[in-house]
Amino acid sequence: MKWCVIKIFQRLFAITAVIGIVAVGMCPATTEASQRLASIAGIGDVMASQSVSESVRILEVGDQKEYTRIADALSAASDGDTIRIHTGTYREHGLTVDRRVAIFGVGRPVIDVEEKGEGIRITAGNVHIEGLEIRNVPTSHSRDLAAIRFERVSGGKVIGNILDNTFFGIYLARSHDMEIRDNELRAYQTRESVSANGIHLWNSDRAVIKGNVVIGHRDGIYLEYVQESSIHNNHVEKNIRYGLHFMFSDDCIYHDNRFENNGAGVAVMYSRRVIMKHNEFVNNWGAASYGLLLKEITDSEIFENEFSGNTIGIRSEGSDRVKKYRNRFHRNGWAIRIMASSMDNLITENNFIDNAFDVSTNSRQQSRNRFEANYWDKYSGYDLKGDGFGDVPYRPVRLFSLIVERNPMALMLLRSMFVQILDLTERVMPTITPETLVDEKPLMREVRL
Amino acid sequence: MIGKILKYQLRDVIRSRWVIAYVLFFLVLTDILFRFGGDGLRVASSMMNIVLIVIPLASIVLGAFYLYNAREYIELLLCHPVKRHQLFWGMFLGLALPLVAAFSGGVLLPYLYNAASAEAWRAALMLVFTGSMLTVIFVAIAYYIALRFDDRIKGLGLALIICLFFTIIYDGIILFVIYIFSSYPLEKPVLVLSLLNPIDLGRILLLLQFDISALMGLTGAVFREFFGTALGMAISLASLLLWLAVPVIAGFRRFLVKDF
Amino acid sequence: MIQIRDLNKKYGTLQALSSVDMEIEPGRITAVLGPNGAGKTTLIKSILGLVKPDSGTITVDGIRVNGESRYREMIGYMPQLARYPENLTVTEIVEMIRDIRKSATGTGSSSSRDEMTGPADESGTKSGLSQAAGSDDMSVRNGKAPSTQKRDAHGETDLELWQRFGLDSEKDKPFRTLSGGNRQKVSAVLAFLFRPKVLFLDEPTSGLDPVSSSILKDKILAERDRGTTIILTSHIMSEVQELAYQVVYLLEGKIYFEHSVGGLLDETGQPTLERAIAVTLDRRLEVPAGAGGAS
């Protein structure tokens, strides 16, 4: 807190030095000091990125202010202007931002769309939107109505907004180099057909999406044809379909996100060179649900993630050359379900703990994936050599998991004595489980993460 | 009067070696699991397998043995002004309660001194509840058998067979049915089948605690409805209670008219 | 004292008792005899209420035996093989039986004989009782069985046998550690403890040493003299001859004959009961039921 204040004062000082006393002078005395400081700090950001030589105006919107409607301020503004929207509820919709302005909410003003259309559409580059609350964007079957939509722009920031009960939340179409940070998005639909995505990116490269909270949408974060973007530190929860839905998006990285309790988990599809690290995939339950679905993902890395309490930790279909290491799989129904269509994957140095099934596969054919040096809590071998690796190989595919594969209902017998005896006999004399799906040197101790 | 009979029963049973062994068995096992495996949740989950095998077996065997050994004692007490129904409850609770206490104590004590988390406690209590129910159910079955068959070899044999049947054979049959009729919609029948076996019931109750994430992988609306809601819990509990009531009442009625 | 009318009991296809009619008079010792499987045990257990007959009635001192537990207050039973909870000490077993009697009806141990005659004996006050019983507990626990006279004065439990068997030395031992003879002694003490009006003794002296055996026999005769009705079974005919007034001989669930011991000896002219019975069976004498008792 103290640090914050100092920082703000520093900035305040810098701004004052650059643009003179004008901005401060125009601040209405009625606003709280802290708000004033914060918004001025924001202005500083924008101003700093622009050339100082332009004549800059600040347009005030609010009750008994220069403008009472946001739309009026927007049409009056010119490139480089700042629009300050003060506390209050603005019943406006279909706002268009077609010039380079910065829009700040002062004391969290509410824009209530009243189910009449979209919220704000931005068609100019480097627009900054911060501190607003936008409500009640209606479901539409013909139009992608969003609270904030960027259309064919380059650069721009959406920071610290609250989007409540919206169809789409933040929508980026053919917009590059965007930053979407610290927003909170909530939707309340319960059916997939009438809900839309929280943060939706289409054909938009080099985006940074961080620190957002996305709850209750169809897909929490949706990326399609997005390159070289980073998605990190987001909290994505209780979305109807996927927490993160990721298609045809190469060279992206996502890390330190938490995906919890989403309908079908996280789906990463048809992409190359994706890095997934430090994420948490938690409690994604359901018949067709998983922590992480990999579909036709190649040359990617998945490491140091936590998969906990998911029906399936990772489901891998047609994904090749994916390296999964140093992940922790804990209390999942199936830790890894690797389909026969996946090849040349390396699974190493992961911890498998308390999963009902560690690994399952849909085929008894020879596996073309390597399991090596993982820690399996069900491993009961010994290490006489003392090199830290068990002397006997571990077979993570249980006979019972093959039975369940064919007859899902047999799952009812999980942990029954009968099934344990079946598994034991198979372990002693393997005849049915795939011979090559084996960890030749299982770790004796958990990998320290 | 039930209280008086119970008092002396308890005094007798508590001093017997097998009850002490029974406590120690669970105590040592739980303690070892804590030492080797860490958190209380894992311990409860590991104990689940043991509980589902050991408790039915121990309860039915001890129950049958106990009642066979108490035959002369029952005759003696019945020559005193004791009503048969009082004696029955005294004898029944006199064994069931110490067994439940021994098992619960053995399992829960390590939770106390290992300062387990709230979640672990919940799992442990669920485990103890299920184990206790199974104890009482299998003691009741044992009593019924011992009252039905005067020949103790026959009775003990039958007790073992019943135990074996419910622990292993029954599940084998379910799996067989699932395989044979795999092309038919079997959700409901399979669900009903597992409700008909107290051990399966206990297992499902515990699976709802420990392996819910796997169970949610079951396709089919019936399962999702059953496992996804409190309904499953309620139905399992109700069936378990029914499983308790049937042998107890059967044994009780037999006790009232039996020739000793 | 005990009336049995047309008593029938079948175990599966085996007719354990068929149309048994019998009357046992008060204040006498009746021996129920017969080969193994003749129905002796079934008969006694029927009177005790342990076995439920298929048909027929049994009344004990005017109370019908049909699941009604209260009449058992006037009954003492010494089984052939007594087994009590293994881990209870002798003291605790005595305490337990007393406890159970006490709480059974609220009268129990302190009821005098006269009060016990009918179903109307619920009138005893509980507070007085439990006090009295309390003092009993103490004495047994301390191992000092007070004198019989003192007991009589209280009109309470009878610990004469406890004393004469010298059970004080065994009082803190768990039941499972007792020898067969000591178990039998404990069983005898408990049978006589509440001064029952009717006593059932199943092979009472088996397993007892000669000294204890004669102590027990003395006690049986003394009780008879006090007016107790006693039914016993035994394989030792000299014992029966010594104790019993009459014998009831059962064969295949029927009363084969019923005769006074004296009459039987006179009629057969034999010196011992054993021989007298052998002769009687040999001759296949048909003695009408009840005729023997009159002579």
Side-chain angles (χ1 to χ4, degrees):
Chain A
M1 191 61 214
K2 198 176 170 186
W3 176 84
C4 250
V5 174
I6 293 170
K7 185 112 182 169
I8 287 164
F9 270 101
Q10 279 173 350
R11 276 195 188 176
L12 180 61
F13 188 74
I15 296 159
T16 319
V18 175
I19 60 171
I21 204 81
V22 189
V24 182
M26 286 180 73
C27 272
T30 48
T31 52
E32 283 177 25
S34 63
Q35 283 176 355
R36 193 164 66 210
L37 290 175
S39 49
I40 291 162
I43 298 164
D45 275 355
V46 181
M47 297 301 159
S49 68
Q50 296 164 8
S51 97
V52 234
S53 58
E54 290 175 40
S55 79
V56 169
R57 286 197 303 154
I58 293 183
L59 291 73
E60 305 284 345
V61 182
D63 200 19
Q64 301 177 349
K65 290 280 181 322
E66 191 181 355
Y67 302 95
T68 52
R69 286 166 45 86
I70 301 168
D72 296 343
L74 284 172
S75 47
S78 41
D79 275 358
D81 284 353
T82 291
I83 296 171
R84 291 161 40 91
I85 304 173
H86 292 266
T87 312
T89 301
Y90 301 84
R91 300 182 202 287
E92 295 182 61
H93 63 275
L95 299 167
T96 306
V97 181
D98 52 6
R99 48 211 89 162
R100 180 168 48 80
V101 293
I103 301 172
F104 293 95
V106 179
R108 188 73 67 201
V110 174
I111 299 174
D112 191 343
V113 174
E114 293 181 304
E115 313 271 340
K116 286 176 181 162
E118 63 185 0
I120 306 174
R121 173 183 291 247
I122 296 104
T123 54
N126 289 319
V127 168
H128 184 117
I129 295 179
E130 182 170 347
L132 304 179
E133 174 164 347
I134 302 177
R135 285 186 194 161
N136 305 328
V137 176
T139 294
S140 164
H141 294 290
S142 53
R143 296 171 60 202
D144 289 349
L145 299 179
I148 302 172
R149 180 189 183 99
F150 288 85
E151 190 83 43
R152 290 173 184 276
V153 302
S154 178
K157 291 182 183 182
V158 181
I159 300 172
N161 300 287
I162 293 176
L163 307 184
D164 192 73
N165 189 28
T166 66
F167 188 50
F168 281 90
I170 299 168
Y171 195 119
L172 272 58
R174 295 187 191 282
S175 298
H176 306 299
D177 302 294
M178 300 289 303
E179 180 179 339
I180 298 170
R181 168 158 64 88
D182 299 329
N183 301 288
E184 204 178 308
L185 296 87
R186 274 175 212 274
Y188 308 94
Q189 296 290 0
T190 51
R191 281 184 301 133
E192 210 177 295
S193 56
V194 293
S195 63
N197 306 327
I199 299 174
H200 181 102
L201 275 71
W202 177 71
N203 261 309
S204 301
D205 297 342
R206 296 176 302 281
V208 174
I209 299 171
K210 73 170 186 182
N212 301 288
V213 175
V214 188
I215 296 170
H217 286 271
R218 181 174 61 195
D219 292 342
I221 301 173
Y222 177 92
L223 284 78
E224 191 178 345
Y225 300 111
V226 174
Q227 317 287 323
E228 295 170 52
S229 292
S230 167
I231 298 109
H232 57 99
N233 295 93
N234 299 289
H235 183 103
V236 184
E237 191 184 326
K238 295 196 192 88
N239 295 288
I240 299 163
R241 194 170 60 182
Y242 298 117
L244 173 68
H245 192 177
F246 198 97
M247 301 220 283
F248 311 108
S249 297
D250 301 339
D251 301 298
C252 286
I253 174 167
Y254 59 98
H255 62 92
D256 295 291
N257 300 289
R258 183 175 169 92
F259 302 102
E260 188 173 351
N261 223 329
N262 295 295
V266 166
V268 182
M269 304 174 172
Y270 316 109
S271 304
R272 287 168 296 175
R273 299 177 301 278
V274 181
I275 290 175
M276 304 165 229
K277 64 170 184 179
H278 290 296
N279 300 289
E280 288 175 274
F281 301 83
V282 183
N283 292 343
N284 297 292
W285 288 354
S289 186
Y290 20 75
L292 175 60
L293 167 69
L294 302 175
K295 191 164 186 172
E296 316 233 345
I297 296 296
T298 50
D299 301 300
S300 296
E301 294 198 10
I302 300 171
F303 59 97
E304 291 170 6
N305 299 285
E306 162 96 17
F307 296 86
S308 178
N310 304 291
T311 293
I312 298 172
I314 297 181
R315 180 185 162 106
S316 175
E317 289 176 30
S319 295
D320 305 334
R321 298 182 302 283
V322 176
K323 191 177 171 197
K324 305 180 185 80
Y325 58 99
R326 295 176 66 78
N327 299 290
R328 183 165 181 265
F329 297 89
H330 181 226
R331 295 192 76 196
N332 300 289
W334 288 259
I336 295 184
R337 228 168 114 59
I338 192 156
M339 307 314 238
S341 53
S342 294
M343 285 184 275
D344 304 317
N345 294 290
L346 173 65
I347 293 110
T348 186
E349 287 186 57
N350 299 290
N351 289 328
F352 292 86
I353 296 159
D354 290 341
N355 302 294
F357 302 94
D358 288 329
V359 176
S360 77
T361 174
N362 60 341
S363 157
R364 282 175 51 197
Q365 290 168 2
Q366 312 296 44
S367 164
R368 305 219 6 217
N369 301 295
R370 248 169 76 216
F371 287 80
E372 194 176 277
N374 295 286
Y375 172 78
W376 314 89
D377 67 339
K378 293 180 189 69
Y379 180 61
S380 53
Y382 44 83
D383 175 23
L384 292 180
K385 282 179 281 177
D387 58 0
F389 298 106
D391 297 346
V392 189
Y394 179 71
R395 301 174 167 278
V397 179
R398 294 165 62 187
L399 173 58
F400 182 51
S401 78
L402 291 178
I403 293 172
V404 170
E405 203 70 42
R406 286 197 195 164
N407 292 290
M409 247 175 303
L411 191 57
M412 294 289 296
L413 298 173
L414 182 64
R415 296 240 232 166
S416 67
M417 180 85 165
F418 185 78
V419 162
Q420 285 173 45
I421 291 172
L422 271 186
D423 277 343
L424 189 72
T425 44
E426 176 68 15
R427 203 153 281 180
V428 176
M429 297 179 296
T431 49
I432 301 166
T433 46
E435 227 170 280
T436 48
L437 209 165
V438 63
D439 189 333
E440 291 289 350
K441 40 183 225 172
L443 290 173
M444 296 304 289
R445 287 170 182 279
E446 277 182 53
V447 179
R448 293 185 62 171
L449 299 171
Chain B
M1 177 51 97
I2 297 175
K4 298 253 169 173
I5 297 167
L6 195 55
K7 183 173 110 190
Y8 292 99
Q9 283 293 103
L10 291 181
R11 241 192 242 183
D12 175 45
V13 169
I14 284 165
R15 284 179 208 167
S16 58
R17 268 168 242 159
W18 51 263
V19 162
I20 296 163
Y22 201 60
V23 182
L24 284 179
F25 173 77
F26 287 107
L27 186 70
V28 168
L29 210 63
T30 314
D31 186 68
I32 286 177
L33 285 172
F34 260 109
R35 273 167 217 280
F36 278 82
D39 73 293
L41 204 61
R42 284 200 80 186
V43 173
S45 179
S46 308
M47 285 300 288
M48 167 183 169
N49 292 347
I50 290 152
V51 163
L52 289 177
I53 293 163
V54 170
I55 287 204
L57 185 67
S59 301
I60 206 168
V61 169
L62 289 175
F65 253 115
Y66 191 79
L67 207 63
Y68 279 126
N69 282 338
R71 271 300 282 277
E72 291 89 351
Y73 172 53
I74 291 172
E75 286 176 20
L76 276 166
L77 282 186
L78 283 179
C79 294
H80 292 283
V82 172
K83 294 197 170 70
R84 283 196 175 201
H85 64 89
Q86 296 168 333
L87 185 56
F88 177 81
W89 293 117
M91 296 299 294
F92 181 65
L93 296 175
L95 182 66
L97 290 184
L99 282 181
V100 165
F103 156 68
S104 313
V107 169
L108 290 182
L109 202 63
Y111 276 83
L112 274 179
Y113 62 70
N114 278 295
S117 68
E119 194 191 2
W121 267 105
R122 210 173 63 110
L125 288 176
M126 195 64 209
L127 180 76
V128 163
F129 170 77
T130 310
S132 303
M133 287 298 281
L134 286 178
T135 304
V136 183
I137 288 170
F138 278 87
V139 167
I141 294 174
Y143 271 34
Y144 179 74
I145 291 172
L147 291 169
R148 180 74 183 68
F149 299 95
D150 283 339
D151 182 352
R152 65 173 65 195
I153 301 296
K154 214 192 233 175
L156 280 169
L158 187 67
L160 282 175
I161 288 170
I162 285 180
C163 194
L164 194 72
F165 177 77
F166 281 138
T167 342
I168 302 175
I169 300 168
Y170 192 88
D171 291 339
I173 294 171
I174 289 188
L175 192 59
F176 188 71
V177 168
I178 290 175
Y179 252 95
I180 296 294
F181 300 101
S182 56
S183 48
Y184 297 88
L186 271 181
E187 292 179 353
K188 269 185 199 162
V190 166
L191 209 53
V192 170
L193 269 181
S194 23
L195 294 182
L196 293 177
N197 174 352
I199 299 179
D200 276 352
L201 257 173
R203 192 168 49 78
I204 287 169
L205 265 177
L206 291 174
L207 283 180
L208 288 172
Q209 288 296 309
F210 300 119
D211 290 287
I212 184 71
S213 49
L215 286 178
M216 294 312 286
L218 280 165
T219 46
V222 174
F223 285 126
R224 206 158 326 142
E225 214 163 90
F226 186 82
F227 293 117
T229 61
L231 190 72
M233 193 68 110
I235 291 177
S236 313
L237 276 178
S239 315
L240 213 53
L241 284 175
L242 201 66
W243 254 112
L244 173 60
V246 170
V248 169
I249 290 170
F252 179 68
R253 293 172 64 122
R254 178 110 203 130
F255 195 85
L256 290 187
V257 299
K258 185 173 169 52
D259 296 326
F260 282 96
Chain C
M1 191 68 199
I2 299 172
Q3 276 113 31
I4 297 170
R5 293 278 170 268
D6 194 26
L7 194 65
N8 286 286
K9 178 68 189 176
K10 236 178 170 178
Y11 290 118
T13 54
L14 177 78
Q15 189 79 39
L17 294 175
S18 75
S19 312
V20 173
D21 279 289
M22 205 172 131
E23 190 115 7
I24 291 170
E25 289 167 39
R28 286 190 168 156
I29 299 177
T30 304
V32 178
L33 305 178
N36 289 333
K40 288 174 292 180
T41 312
T42 307
L43 180 64
I44 289 178
K45 285 188 170 179
S46 297
I47 304 171
L48 287 168
L50 293 172
V51 166
K52 311 250 162 171
D54 300 332
S55 64
T57 57
I58 304 168
T59 54
V60 177
D61 206 17
I63 304 175
R64 255 188 84 166
V65 177
N66 53 356
E68 170 66 56
S69 66
R70 201 150 16 86
Y71 79 97
R72 300 198 206 119
E73 280 169 26
M74 54 179 147
I75 282 176
Y77 174 47
M78 182 179 170
Q80 196 171 350
L81 191 75
R83 282 182 70 173
Y84 287 96
E86 303 230 300
N87 301 298
L88 296 187
T89 64
V90 176
T91 310
E92 281 172 326
I93 288 169
V94 175
E95 200 183 302
M96 168 179 77
I97 296 296
R98 185 179 282 162
D99 219 7
I100 282 168
R101 281 268 181 166
K102 194 168 62 188
S103 66
T105 56
T107 54
S109 58
S110 75
S111 302
S112 76
R113 282 164 179 251
D114 294 326
E115 281 176 84
M116 272 192 186
T117 45
D121 59 354
E122 286 184 33
S123 50
T125 59
K126 197 163 182 176
S127 56
L129 275 180
S130 38
Q131 262 181 347
S135 71
D136 277 349
D137 288 353
M138 285 304 293
S139 58
V140 173
R141 223 174 269 137
N142 298 337
K144 289 178 285 188
S147 72
T148 327
Q149 281 77 13
K150 194 181 161 200
R151 293 271 133 215
D152 283 342
H154 277 271
E156 278 180 25
T157 49
D158 179 354
L159 283 168
E160 186 195 344
L161 274 177
W162 174 279
Q163 254 184 333
R164 296 194 57 191
F165 284 146
L167 282 173
D168 274 353
S169 60
E170 309 288 323
K171 71 186 171 66
D172 291 328
K173 290 186 184 166
F175 189 74
R176 83 183 119 81
T177 63
L178 295 189
S179 66
N182 281 336
R183 289 182 181 202
Q184 200 71 357
K185 288 179 197 166
V186 172
S187 181
V189 168
L190 290 171
F192 286 90
L193 192 65
F194 299 100
R195 308 175 185 287
K197 287 178 83 173
V198 185
L199 249 176
F200 292 85
L201 307 170
D202 200 350
E203 303 280 349
T205 59
S206 71
L208 288 183
D209 59 280
V211 178
S212 307
S213 180
S214 56
I215 291 173
L216 183 57
K217 280 192 266 190
D218 287 349
K219 182 66 181 171
I220 291 169
L221 292 172
E223 278 302 299
R224 180 201 61 192
D225 293 344
R226 286 163 40 93
T228 307
T229 310
I230 295 168
I231 292 105
L232 69 83
T233 70
S234 181
H235 279 98
I236 309 161
M237 286 307 124
S238 60
E239 189 176 284
V240 176
Q241 192 177 351
E242 189 185 344
L243 297 173
Y245 166 76
Q246 62 168 356
V247 296
V248 175
Y249 198 91
L250 286 175
L251 197 62
E252 288 168 350
K254 294 193 179 83
I255 293 182
Y256 199 63
F257 63 79
E258 191 178 354
H259 214 296
S260 74
V261 175
L264 207 57
L265 292 175
D266 286 351
E267 275 177 32
T268 55
Q270 298 293 328
T272 63
L273 183 63
E274 191 164 14
R275 289 193 176 278
I277 287 171
V279 169
T280 311
L281 290 175
D282 238 17
R283 286 188 197 155
R284 300 192 163 271
L285 263 178
E286 287 294 336
V287 180
S295 60

